[in-house]
PDB file of all heavy atoms in Angstrom:
ATOM      1  N   ARG A 110       0.481   2.196  -0.800  1.00 84.00           N
ATOM      2  CA  ARG A 110       1.228   3.438  -0.877  1.00 84.00           C
ATOM      3  C   ARG A 110       0.461   4.554  -0.184  1.00 84.00           C
ATOM      4  O   ARG A 110      -0.769   4.565  -0.202  1.00 84.00           O
ATOM      5  CB  ARG A 110       1.447   3.841  -2.340  1.00 84.00           C
ATOM      6  CG  ARG A 110       2.729   3.317  -2.868  1.00 84.00           C
ATOM      7  CD  ARG A 110       2.919   3.692  -4.301  1.00 84.00           C
ATOM      8  NE  ARG A 110       4.265   3.255  -4.667  1.00 84.00           N
ATOM      9  CZ  ARG A 110       5.267   4.088  -4.889  1.00 84.00           C
ATOM     10  NH1 ARG A 110       5.098   5.381  -4.827  1.00 84.00           N
ATOM     11  NH2 ARG A 110       6.461   3.624  -5.200  1.00 84.00           N
ATOM     12  N   ARG A 114       1.478  14.831   3.326  1.00 86.00           N
ATOM     13  CA  ARG A 114       1.972  16.191   3.094  1.00 86.00           C
ATOM     14  C   ARG A 114       2.330  16.803   4.437  1.00 86.00           C
ATOM     15  O   ARG A 114       1.513  16.843   5.339  1.00 86.00           O
ATOM     16  CB  ARG A 114       0.906  17.041   2.413  1.00 86.00           C
ATOM     17  CG  ARG A 114       0.643  16.536   1.053  1.00 86.00           C
ATOM     18  CD  ARG A 114      -0.199  17.438   0.189  1.00 86.00           C
ATOM     19  NE  ARG A 114      -0.488  16.732  -1.037  1.00 86.00           N
ATOM     20  CZ  ARG A 114       0.387  16.586  -2.024  1.00 86.00           C
ATOM     21  NH1 ARG A 114       1.579  17.152  -1.945  1.00 86.00           N
ATOM     22  NH2 ARG A 114       0.090  15.893  -3.100  1.00 86.00           N
ATOM     23  N   PHE A 117       8.264  20.923   7.062  1.00 84.00           N
ATOM     24  CA  PHE A 117       9.198  21.100   8.186  1.00 84.00           C
ATOM     25  C   PHE A 117      10.105  22.287   7.883  1.00 84.00           C
ATOM     26  O   PHE A 117      10.512  22.475   6.739  1.00 84.00           O
ATOM     27  CB  PHE A 117      10.073  19.855   8.358  1.00 84.00           C
ATOM     28  CG  PHE A 117       9.333  18.692   8.945  1.00 84.00           C
ATOM     29  CD1 PHE A 117       8.820  17.697   8.124  1.00 84.00           C
ATOM     30  CD2 PHE A 117       9.149  18.580  10.316  1.00 84.00           C
ATOM     31  CE1 PHE A 117       8.131  16.623   8.657  1.00 84.00           C
ATOM     32  CE2 PHE A 117       8.469  17.501  10.855  1.00 84.00           C
ATOM     33  CZ  PHE A 117       7.961  16.535  10.024  1.00 84.00           C
ATOM     34  N   LYS A 124      13.496  16.903  13.894  1.00 90.00           N
ATOM     35  CA  LYS A 124      12.092  16.562  14.095  1.00 90.00           C
ATOM     36  C   LYS A 124      11.594  15.739  12.904  1.00 90.00           C
ATOM     37  O   LYS A 124      10.859  14.767  13.066  1.00 90.00           O
ATOM     38  CB  LYS A 124      11.291  17.870  14.197  1.00 90.00           C
ATOM     39  CG  LYS A 124      10.096  17.795  15.120  1.00 90.00           C
ATOM     40  CD  LYS A 124       9.262  19.037  14.993  1.00 90.00           C
ATOM     41  CE  LYS A 124       9.374  19.952  16.191  1.00 90.00           C
ATOM     42  NZ  LYS A 124       8.591  21.203  15.983  1.00 90.00           N
ATOM     43  N   GLU A 126      13.392  13.856  10.962  1.00 91.00           N
ATOM     44  CA  GLU A 126      13.988  12.528  11.086  1.00 91.00           C
ATOM     45  C   GLU A 126      13.202  11.653  12.050  1.00 91.00           C
ATOM     46  O   GLU A 126      12.924  10.497  11.776  1.00 91.00           O
ATOM     47  CB  GLU A 126      15.414  12.659  11.625  1.00 91.00           C
ATOM     48  CG  GLU A 126      16.472  12.650  10.585  1.00 91.00           C
ATOM     49  CD  GLU A 126      17.854  12.845  11.209  1.00 91.00           C
ATOM     50  OE1 GLU A 126      17.989  12.826  12.442  1.00 91.00           O
ATOM     51  OE2 GLU A 126      18.779  13.024  10.442  1.00 91.00           O
ATOM     52  N   LEU A 139       9.512   5.374   4.035  1.00 93.00           N
ATOM     53  CA  LEU A 139       9.629   6.450   3.056  1.00 93.00           C
ATOM     54  C   LEU A 139      10.285   5.908   1.784  1.00 93.00           C
ATOM     55  O   LEU A 139      11.295   5.219   1.822  1.00 93.00           O
ATOM     56  CB  LEU A 139      10.481   7.590   3.636  1.00 93.00           C
ATOM     57  CG  LEU A 139      10.575   8.835   2.763  1.00 93.00           C
ATOM     58  CD1 LEU A 139       9.247   9.574   2.723  1.00 93.00           C
ATOM     59  CD2 LEU A 139      11.660   9.770   3.260  1.00 93.00           C
ATOM     60  N   ILE A 144       8.516  18.346  -2.852  1.00 83.00           N
ATOM     61  CA  ILE A 144       8.244  19.477  -1.972  1.00 83.00           C
ATOM     62  C   ILE A 144       7.004  19.228  -1.106  1.00 83.00           C
ATOM     63  O   ILE A 144       5.913  19.002  -1.621  1.00 83.00           O
ATOM     64  CB  ILE A 144       8.102  20.777  -2.792  1.00 83.00           C
ATOM     65  CG1 ILE A 144       9.433  21.059  -3.486  1.00 83.00           C
ATOM     66  CG2 ILE A 144       7.699  21.947  -1.904  1.00 83.00           C
ATOM     67  CD1 ILE A 144       9.387  22.154  -4.512  1.00 83.00           C
ATOM     68  N   GLY A 155       9.743  -1.346  11.636  1.00 89.00           N
ATOM     69  CA  GLY A 155      11.069  -1.327  12.243  1.00 89.00           C
ATOM     70  C   GLY A 155      12.179  -1.870  11.364  1.00 89.00           C
ATOM     71  O   GLY A 155      13.276  -2.120  11.835  1.00 89.00           O
ATOM     72  N   TYR A 157      13.651  -0.310   8.806  1.00 93.00           N
ATOM     73  CA  TYR A 157      14.612   0.705   8.386  1.00 93.00           C
ATOM     74  C   TYR A 157      14.823   1.790   9.436  1.00 93.00           C
ATOM     75  O   TYR A 157      13.936   2.085  10.223  1.00 93.00           O
ATOM     76  CB  TYR A 157      14.128   1.392   7.113  1.00 93.00           C
ATOM     77  CG  TYR A 157      14.199   0.528   5.895  1.00 93.00           C
ATOM     78  CD1 TYR A 157      13.049  -0.051   5.370  1.00 93.00           C
ATOM     79  CD2 TYR A 157      15.419   0.300   5.263  1.00 93.00           C
ATOM     80  CE1 TYR A 157      13.108  -0.853   4.238  1.00 93.00           C
ATOM     81  CE2 TYR A 157      15.483  -0.491   4.126  1.00 93.00           C
ATOM     82  CZ  TYR A 157      14.330  -1.062   3.622  1.00 93.00           C
ATOM     83  OH  TYR A 157      14.392  -1.845   2.508  1.00 93.00           O
ATOM     84  N   VAL A 161      18.405  12.321   7.604  1.00 92.00           N
ATOM     85  CA  VAL A 161      18.276  13.419   6.667  1.00 92.00           C
ATOM     86  C   VAL A 161      19.519  14.288   6.813  1.00 92.00           C
ATOM     87  O   VAL A 161      19.978  14.523   7.923  1.00 92.00           O
ATOM     88  CB  VAL A 161      17.026  14.256   7.013  1.00 92.00           C
ATOM     89  CG1 VAL A 161      16.886  15.427   6.069  1.00 92.00           C
ATOM     90  CG2 VAL A 161      15.776  13.399   6.991  1.00 92.00           C
ATOM     91  N   SER A 173      29.337  15.413  -3.828  1.00 91.00           N
ATOM     92  CA  SER A 173      28.183  14.778  -3.188  1.00 91.00           C
ATOM     93  C   SER A 173      27.983  13.374  -3.730  1.00 91.00           C
ATOM     94  O   SER A 173      27.634  12.460  -2.977  1.00 91.00           O
ATOM     95  CB  SER A 173      26.923  15.609  -3.435  1.00 91.00           C
ATOM     96  OG  SER A 173      27.072  16.878  -2.858  1.00 91.00           O
ATOM     97  N   GLY A 189      16.202   9.711  -1.852  1.00 92.00           N
ATOM     98  CA  GLY A 189      15.715  10.887  -2.546  1.00 92.00           C
ATOM     99  C   GLY A 189      16.395  12.149  -2.089  1.00 92.00           C
ATOM    100  O   GLY A 189      17.092  12.162  -1.072  1.00 92.00           O
ATOM    101  N   TRP A 194      18.973  18.741   0.407  1.00 90.00           N
ATOM    102  CA  TRP A 194      18.569  17.758   1.414  1.00 90.00           C
ATOM    103  C   TRP A 194      18.612  16.372   0.807  1.00 90.00           C
ATOM    104  O   TRP A 194      18.055  16.140  -0.258  1.00 90.00           O
ATOM    105  CB  TRP A 194      17.138  18.015   1.907  1.00 90.00           C
ATOM    106  CG  TRP A 194      17.035  19.141   2.858  1.00 90.00           C
ATOM    107  CD1 TRP A 194      16.444  20.341   2.625  1.00 90.00           C
ATOM    108  CD2 TRP A 194      17.528  19.181   4.207  1.00 90.00           C
ATOM    109  NE1 TRP A 194      16.553  21.129   3.748  1.00 90.00           N
ATOM    110  CE2 TRP A 194      17.213  20.445   4.728  1.00 90.00           C
ATOM    111  CE3 TRP A 194      18.209  18.272   5.018  1.00 90.00           C
ATOM    112  CZ2 TRP A 194      17.547  20.836   6.012  1.00 90.00           C
ATOM    113  CZ3 TRP A 194      18.554  18.650   6.294  1.00 90.00           C
ATOM    114  CH2 TRP A 194      18.219  19.923   6.778  1.00 90.00           C
ATOM    115  N   ASP A 211      30.845  12.203  15.556  1.00 80.00           N
ATOM    116  CA  ASP A 211      31.649  13.159  16.319  1.00 80.00           C
ATOM    117  C   ASP A 211      30.972  14.524  16.326  1.00 80.00           C
ATOM    118  O   ASP A 211      30.160  14.844  15.465  1.00 80.00           O
ATOM    119  CB  ASP A 211      33.058  13.253  15.747  1.00 80.00           C
ATOM    120  CG  ASP A 211      33.068  13.746  14.316  1.00 80.00           C
ATOM    121  OD1 ASP A 211      32.058  13.520  13.595  1.00 80.00           O
ATOM    122  OD2 ASP A 211      34.028  14.372  13.911  1.00 80.00           O
ATOM    123  N   VAL A 250      -1.484  51.511  -3.780  1.00 80.00           N
ATOM    124  CA  VAL A 250      -1.184  50.094  -4.032  1.00 80.00           C
ATOM    125  C   VAL A 250      -1.098  49.298  -2.733  1.00 80.00           C
ATOM    126  O   VAL A 250      -1.045  48.078  -2.758  1.00 80.00           O
ATOM    127  CB  VAL A 250       0.127  49.872  -4.834  1.00 80.00           C
ATOM    128  CG1 VAL A 250      -0.016  50.398  -6.239  1.00 80.00           C
ATOM    129  CG2 VAL A 250       1.305  50.480  -4.121  1.00 80.00           C
ATOM    130  N   LEU A 260       2.918  38.141   4.129  1.00 88.00           N
ATOM    131  CA  LEU A 260       3.600  36.881   3.857  1.00 88.00           C
ATOM    132  C   LEU A 260       5.111  37.041   4.051  1.00 88.00           C
ATOM    133  O   LEU A 260       5.775  36.217   4.684  1.00 88.00           O
ATOM    134  CB  LEU A 260       3.301  36.435   2.421  1.00 88.00           C
ATOM    135  CG  LEU A 260       3.885  35.081   2.019  1.00 88.00           C
ATOM    136  CD1 LEU A 260       3.154  33.957   2.722  1.00 88.00           C
ATOM    137  CD2 LEU A 260       3.804  34.898   0.508  1.00 88.00           C
ATOM    138  N   CYS A 267      10.151  33.604  10.338  1.00 89.00           N
ATOM    139  CA  CYS A 267      10.577  32.198  10.327  1.00 89.00           C
ATOM    140  C   CYS A 267      12.096  32.094  10.213  1.00 89.00           C
ATOM    141  O   CYS A 267      12.731  31.324  10.940  1.00 89.00           O
ATOM    142  CB  CYS A 267       9.957  31.461   9.155  1.00 89.00           C
ATOM    143  SG  CYS A 267       8.267  31.012   9.438  1.00 89.00           S
ATOM    144  N   LEU A 272      17.417  31.136  12.523  1.00 91.00           N
ATOM    145  CA  LEU A 272      18.782  31.568  12.821  1.00 91.00           C
ATOM    146  C   LEU A 272      19.064  31.488  14.316  1.00 91.00           C
ATOM    147  O   LEU A 272      20.120  31.030  14.737  1.00 91.00           O
ATOM    148  CB  LEU A 272      18.999  33.003  12.324  1.00 91.00           C
ATOM    149  CG  LEU A 272      19.329  33.110  10.838  1.00 91.00           C
ATOM    150  CD1 LEU A 272      19.302  34.551  10.378  1.00 91.00           C
ATOM    151  CD2 LEU A 272      20.689  32.493  10.556  1.00 91.00           C
ATOM    152  N   LYS A 274      17.511  29.567  16.512  1.00 89.00           N
ATOM    153  CA  LYS A 274      17.535  28.155  16.926  1.00 89.00           C
ATOM    154  C   LYS A 274      18.844  27.473  16.545  1.00 89.00           C
ATOM    155  O   LYS A 274      19.449  26.769  17.357  1.00 89.00           O
ATOM    156  CB  LYS A 274      16.362  27.406  16.289  1.00 89.00           C
ATOM    157  CG  LYS A 274      15.082  27.553  17.059  1.00 89.00           C
ATOM    158  CD  LYS A 274      14.105  26.488  16.609  1.00 89.00           C
ATOM    159  CE  LYS A 274      12.963  26.340  17.582  1.00 89.00           C
ATOM    160  NZ  LYS A 274      12.034  25.301  17.159  1.00 89.00           N
ATOM    161  N   LEU A 277      21.695  28.722  18.702  1.00 90.00           N
ATOM    162  CA  LEU A 277      21.711  28.180  20.064  1.00 90.00           C
ATOM    163  C   LEU A 277      22.278  26.763  20.079  1.00 90.00           C
ATOM    164  O   LEU A 277      23.115  26.426  20.922  1.00 90.00           O
ATOM    165  CB  LEU A 277      20.302  28.187  20.666  1.00 90.00           C
ATOM    166  CG  LEU A 277      19.741  29.559  21.051  1.00 90.00           C
ATOM    167  CD1 LEU A 277      18.314  29.437  21.540  1.00 90.00           C
ATOM    168  CD2 LEU A 277      20.615  30.222  22.114  1.00 90.00           C
ATOM    169  N   THR A 278      21.828  25.947  19.124  1.00 89.00           N
ATOM    170  CA  THR A 278      22.340  24.571  19.063  1.00 89.00           C
ATOM    171  C   THR A 278      23.831  24.594  18.780  1.00 89.00           C
ATOM    172  O   THR A 278      24.607  23.858  19.398  1.00 89.00           O
ATOM    173  CB  THR A 278      21.639  23.785  17.938  1.00 89.00           C
ATOM    174  OG1 THR A 278      20.266  24.075  17.984  1.00 89.00           O
ATOM    175  CG2 THR A 278      21.864  22.299  18.081  1.00 89.00           C
TER     176      THR A 278
END
Side-chain angles (χ1 to χ4, degrees):
Chain A
R110 268 179 174 251
R114 294 191 187 283
F117 287 98
K124 213 189 252 177
E126 263 178 8
L139 185 70
I144 297 170
Y157 289 104
V161 179
S173 298
W194 283 111
D211 62 332
V250 293
L260 183 71
C267 282
L272 278 171
K274 276 196 165 181
L277 288 176
T278 317

